[in-house]
Amino acid sequence: MSTVKIPPVLRAAAGGERTVEASGATVGEVLTALCDAHPAIGAQILTADGELHKFVNVYVNDEDARLMQWTDTPVGDDDTLLILPAMAGGQ
Amino acid sequence: MSPSYQDLLGNAREVIPEVEPSEVAPRVADGTGPLIIDVRETGEWDQGHLPGAVHIPRGFLESRVAGTAPDSDQEILVSCASGQRSLLAAKTLADMGFTNVSSLAGGFARWKQNNHPVEVPRILTAAQRSRYSRHILIPEVGEEGQMKLLDSKALLIGAGGLGSPAAYYLAAAGVGTIGLVDDDEVDESNLQRQIIHTTDRVGMNKGESAKQAIAALNPEVQVNVHPFRINRDNVLDLVSQYDVIVDGADNFPTRYLLADASLMTNTPLVHASILRFEGHASVFKPYDGPCYRCLFPEPPPPDLAPSCGEAGVLGVLCGVMGNIQATEAIKVLLDIGDTLSGRLLIYDALGMTFTELKVRRDPDCPSCGPNADLQLRDYEAWCAGVGSHAGSHA
C-alpha cells in the first residue's frame, strides 16, 4: 500500500483525511484505487475519459510523475504520492 | 643606540624605490598598473583613495597581505597619506620576501594635488551601521551586502496576507525601495493576518496603510504605492522598475501574468501561495530554472482553487510563508545561498512538516521553452477558459 497525500482542497472528498493508503503497482493504479475508494476525488481530478486533468500534478516522493512515466510510473509500498493542484491564495 | 624614526625611513629608502604619482598614473588609468595596497586607517581610506587600491590598514599588513598578494614576485605599490608609512610598510613587505615593492612618493596627498583620479568609497552612515549592525556581522551580507540591499528595489504584488510580513521584513532589512501594488482597502477581517495594517486604518488603501507602517519602522525606505490592479497594460512598465517580484496575489490570472512578465523583463519572481494550513513557496529565475508554468501549466477550475476568503487561512501561516518570501527575495538580491529555484517547498502547519519537491524546466513550456511564443494575453479569459473546460468534466 502506498501513501497518498491529499491536498487541502480535496480533503472533504476524502472524508477529511490528509493521507490515504491505496494499493497499486503504478501511479495510475494507485490513483484508480484512490478514486474507487473516494469517488468524489475522481470527480475532481479525472476527465470524463478517466484521464488526469492537466492542472493536477502528481509527485512520486519528490519527483514529478509527468517527467517519469506519468501514470505508468512504478510505485512501491514505501513510496508516497502527492496530488498537487496549484493554489492561488495570497491575501 | 636605537634607530630613530628618521633612521628607519632612511634605511627603507635604501631598499624601496619611490614612485612619483605622475609615473604610475597612466598605468593605473589603463589598468596595467601594480597592485596598490593602501595602508592608511579606515577613516582616511573613507575620504578617498587611488582607483583600484586595496585597503589593508598598516596594523594588519603582515597578517592580511598573503590573501591579497599570493605571488611574492608581483609588482606592489604601497600608498599612504604622505609617503612615509607606505615606505615603512613596503620595507616590511620586502623583509617578508616580496621582491617587487615600491612606495608612492608623497602619498595620496600628492596624488590628489596632481589631480589624478580618486575613488571615494561609498560607506554606510553611522546610523545605518547601527541599524543594520546584525546584518553587517554576517559574512554573507556585510557592509557591501547591506549597501546592495539599500540600492535594491522589490515589487510586492498585494499588501495582504503574504505582502504584509514580506513588506515589513524587507523594509526592516533595508531594501531601499519597496513597491506595493494593491487596489484594495483595509478591512477588519484582514487584521487576523495582515499585520502591517491596524484597526484605525480600516478603510484606507492597503498600500498607503503599509507605507505608514514602514515609515514608522524604517523611514529611509522609499515606498511606492501603486493603488491599482496589475494588468497586461501596466505590468511590464511596473516590473521593469524593480529587481525582484514578490508574488502575494490572490488569483490565478495575476499569477500567470506575473510569471510571463517576469520572463519578459528578466526579473526573478519569488512565489508563495496559501490556503488554510498549507503554503507553497518557490523562486522562478527567468531562463535559469523552471518558471511558474513549468510547474503549473494550467490553473485548476474555481472549485478546486478557492481563495482564502472562500476557504479560510490560518493567520500565522501568512507570516511563515511571507517571511520565506522575504528571505528568498533578500538572497536573490544579494545573490547568496541556495534559493528555492528548482524546488517547491510545501509547508503543512497542521502536521508541522516541510516537504520539498523537485521542479524542473519543462522543455515544452509554452512560456519559457525553446519554442515558446511568449506574449501577454487576456489571462482572465484564459484562466476562465481552462477552468471551465476542466470543470466541465468534473
Side-chain angles (χ1 to χ4, degrees):
Chain A
M1 298 279 268
S2 304
T3 303
V4 184
K5 287 190 178 175
I6 309 295
V9 290
L10 290 175
R11 282 182 197 154
E17 297 297 323
R18 294 161 65 216
T19 60
V20 171
E21 299 288 315
S23 58
T26 63
V27 166
E29 288 178 16
V30 171
L31 292 178
T32 300
L34 172 74
C35 294
D36 285 349
H38 301 282
I41 291 183
Q44 294 200 277
I45 67 170
L46 300 178
T47 67
D49 302 329
E51 301 290 322
L52 270 169
H53 278 299
K54 205 174 174 186
F55 61 78
V56 179
N57 290 11
V58 178
Y59 277 76
V60 180
N61 303 320
D62 63 349
E63 288 284 358
D64 188 343
R66 274 183 305 191
L67 301 176
M68 297 191 284
Q69 298 160 56
W70 196 206
T71 50
D72 294 330
T73 306
V75 177
D77 279 354
D78 295 332
D79 288 330
T80 298
L81 263 68
L82 192 147
I83 300 173
L84 183 80
M87 300 195 302
Q91 301 279 22
Chain B
M1 196 171 110
S2 304
S4 67
Y5 179 57
Q6 293 305 327
D7 293 336
L8 289 174
L9 287 176
N11 291 343
R13 276 200 179 91
E14 287 175 15
V15 290
I16 300 298
E18 291 180 282
V19 179
E20 282 296 324
S22 56
E23 291 174 57
V24 74
R27 293 178 58 208
V28 172
D30 68 16
T32 61
L35 168 66
I36 303 165
I37 297 178
D38 189 322
V39 295
R40 294 174 301 162
E41 299 305 310
T42 300
E44 299 173 278
W45 164 265
D46 289 346
Q47 301 300 311
H49 54 77
L50 272 67
V54 176
H55 182 219
I56 307 179
R58 177 67 188 87
F60 294 97
L61 183 65
E62 293 87 342
S63 59
R64 293 187 187 169
V65 68
T68 303
D71 176 7
S72 61
D73 291 330
Q74 78 182 95
E75 186 184 1
I76 297 174
L77 176 67
V78 186
S79 75
C80 67
S82 64
Q84 296 189 333
R85 272 177 292 173
S86 59
L87 198 57
L88 297 175
K91 171 75 164 52
T92 299
L93 293 180
D95 293 343
M96 290 175 73
F98 288 91
T99 59
N100 193 1
V101 188
S102 55
S103 171
L104 182 70
F108 181 67
R110 192 176 298 171
W111 176 275
K112 211 171 155 188
Q113 278 164 12
N114 292 357
N115 292 319
H116 296 306
V118 169
E119 267 180 20
V120 180
R122 200 178 143 218
I123 53 166
L124 295 174
T125 64
Q128 288 171 327
R129 279 205 177 110
S130 170
R131 178 181 284 265
Y132 304 116
S133 62
R134 301 305 190 273
H135 272 174
I136 293 165
L137 287 167
I138 305 173
E140 289 83 353
V141 182
E143 281 207 25
E144 198 180 325
Q146 189 59 54
M147 282 189 279
K148 214 168 169 182
L149 289 179
L150 289 166
D151 288 340
S152 295
K153 298 176 178 181
L155 180 65
L156 276 63
I157 312 301
L162 294 169
S164 284
Y168 240 150
Y169 268 99
L170 290 174
V175 170
T177 303
I178 293 177
L180 297 167
V181 185
D182 208 316
D183 69 336
D184 202 7
E185 293 169 354
V186 180
D187 184 84
E188 200 169 23
S189 67
N190 300 148
L191 300 174
Q192 154 259 22
R193 63 199 179 283
Q194 300 181 15
I195 55 160
I196 206 162
H197 309 302
T198 57
T199 305
D200 63 355
R201 294 203 290 269
V202 167
M204 187 183 289
N205 171 269
K206 286 185 180 176
E208 288 293 345
S209 167
K211 183 176 182 171
Q212 289 192 12
I214 290 171
L217 174 64
N218 189 349
E220 86 175 327
V221 173
Q222 164 74 37
V223 177
N224 300 332
V225 176
H226 306 293
F228 47 76
R229 284 192 86 79
I230 198 159
N231 59 41
R232 62 176 165 162
D233 295 325
N234 59 28
V235 69
L236 295 181
D237 272 352
L238 198 56
V239 166
S240 56
Q241 297 170 39
Y242 291 88
D243 304 311
V244 65
I245 310 165
V246 178
D247 180 3
D250 62 352
N251 63 84
F252 283 115
T254 302
R255 289 187 181 273
Y256 282 97
L257 168 74
L258 289 172
D260 287 350
S262 150
L263 291 165
M264 292 170 89
T265 58
N266 200 29
T267 312
L269 177 66
V270 180
H271 166 88
S273 54
I274 46 175
L275 189 72
R276 294 184 176 160
F277 288 93
E278 193 158 307
H280 294 174
S282 192
V283 171
F284 303 111
K285 290 186 174 175
Y287 305 105
D288 184 25
C291 77
Y292 183 63
R293 270 190 95 181
C294 294
L295 173 61
F296 295 119
E298 289 180 3
D303 57 331
L304 262 186
S307 69
C308 296
E310 293 161 336
V313 63
L314 182 73
V316 182
L317 176 79
C318 302
V320 175
M321 300 312 295
N323 281 323
I324 287 174
Q325 285 184 291
T327 308
E328 293 300 279
I330 286 172
K331 285 161 57 187
V332 166
L333 291 171
L334 295 181
D335 195 19
I336 57 171
D338 297 318
T339 68
L340 283 172
S341 175
R343 296 181 285 161
L344 179 73
L345 182 69
I346 301 177
Y347 169 52
D348 175 8
L350 211 49
M352 194 46 79
T353 59
F354 287 87
T355 305
E356 244 186 66
L357 303 177
K358 294 192 178 85
V359 185
R360 301 184 196 278
R361 276 190 84 172
D362 178 355
D364 299 320
C365 176
S367 285
C368 77
N371 301 315
D373 177 25
L374 183 59
Q375 49 188 312
L376 298 178
R377 61 171 86 196
D378 183 342
Y379 294 87
E380 296 276 355
W382 178 70
C383 287
V386 171
S388 66
H389 172 74
S392 67
H393 297 282

